[in-house]
Amino acid sequence: MCLIFTCGEHTFRKEVEGYEGVVCQCHNCGNYAGHVIKSNPWFTFCFVPVVPLSIHGYHDVICHVCNFAQPLENRPDVQAMRRGEGGNNMPMQPPPQQGPPQGWGQGPPPGQAPMRYG
């Protein structure tokens, strides 16, 4: 008689209350794809969660592009964006420019002759 048992680890994740919908910049790749996630790791036996490996879980800022995770305690800019605390004074985009975007509608760069084909 042969019995095979499988042991492992599974992490349950959900958004942290008060940070729902908050999107911040990732410090690794620079994309605005960071979300505040609470992670609860569990020890599993035959794919069934048995024992929690952390009582309170971990609050991290996780990027959905590069999967970089950083503890929420190390991100005061994200803590200021918590819903209900009035920390929405941080601009998400740079201020608008006057005129067309840089490089549009202008001639060739100074010091260079126009390209000739043929």
Side-chain angles (χ1 to χ4, degrees), residues 12-85:
F12 294 97
R13 293 187 171 129
K14 67 177 183 176
E15 286 196 63
V16 177
E17 185 177 337
Y19 290 99
E20 297 94 351
V22 172
V23 178
C24 59
Q25 187 175 17
C26 174
H27 281 184
N28 187 43
C29 66
N31 291 315
Y32 279 93
H35 297 275
V36 181
I37 303 292
K38 180 177 182 179
S39 303
N40 292 320
W42 282 71
F43 173 76
T44 58
F45 180 73
C46 293
F47 304 105
V48 176
V50 180
V51 179
L53 298 177
S54 172
I55 296 173
H56 300 293
Y58 305 103
H59 294 92
D60 295 327
V61 177
I62 299 178
C63 178
H64 291 291
V65 174
C66 66
N67 291 328
F68 178 72
Q70 187 176 21
L72 181 62
E73 296 83 35
N74 296 346
R75 295 290 303 268
D77 58 329
V78 178
Q79 291 175 355
M81 288 192 279
R82 184 179 177 129
R83 191 169 48 120
E85 291 186 7

